[in-house]
Amino acid sequence: VSVRYADLDLSTSEGRAALEKRIQDAARNLCGLDEAPATGTRIASPSRRACYEKATSQIGESIARAAEKRENKG
């Protein structure tokens, strides 16, 4: 899954927070957390929660890499 960030200023806390939210939203979509559970419960399945946790576990590192990549281009 790709997350766009070219429009964000990653040198600011607001820009980093916006990127973090985009990553979390992409992970929710990828892992199906926004889909209605098939069992009739509102609780996401353990596999969907595990997927989300894995996908978002390194958000800080992802943001740092994106900021560094941006600096090297600029």
Side-chain angles (χ1 to χ4, degrees):
V1 173
S2 296
V3 176
R4 300 179 66 90
Y5 61 92
D7 60 319
L8 300 175
D9 181 356
L10 300 180
S11 67
T12 67
S13 60
E14 293 84 6
R16 291 188 300 273
L19 179 54
E20 182 173 343
K21 180 169 180 356
R22 289 180 188 182
I23 293 170
Q24 290 170 338
D25 289 347
R28 289 185 66 79
N29 187 26
L30 174 71
C31 299
L33 288 181
D34 292 330
E35 297 173 10
T39 60
T41 180
R42 296 177 75 130
I43 299 171
S45 71
S47 62
R48 288 181 181 185
R49 288 193 310 268
C51 172
Y52 178 81
E53 291 300 320
K54 184 175 181 181
T56 60
S57 67
Q58 298 177 354
I59 286 178
E61 290 177 28
S62 297
I63 292 172
R65 282 192 305 271
E68 183 178 325
K69 187 176 179 180
R70 198 92 177 271
E71 285 178 17
N72 291 335
K73 282 185 176 181

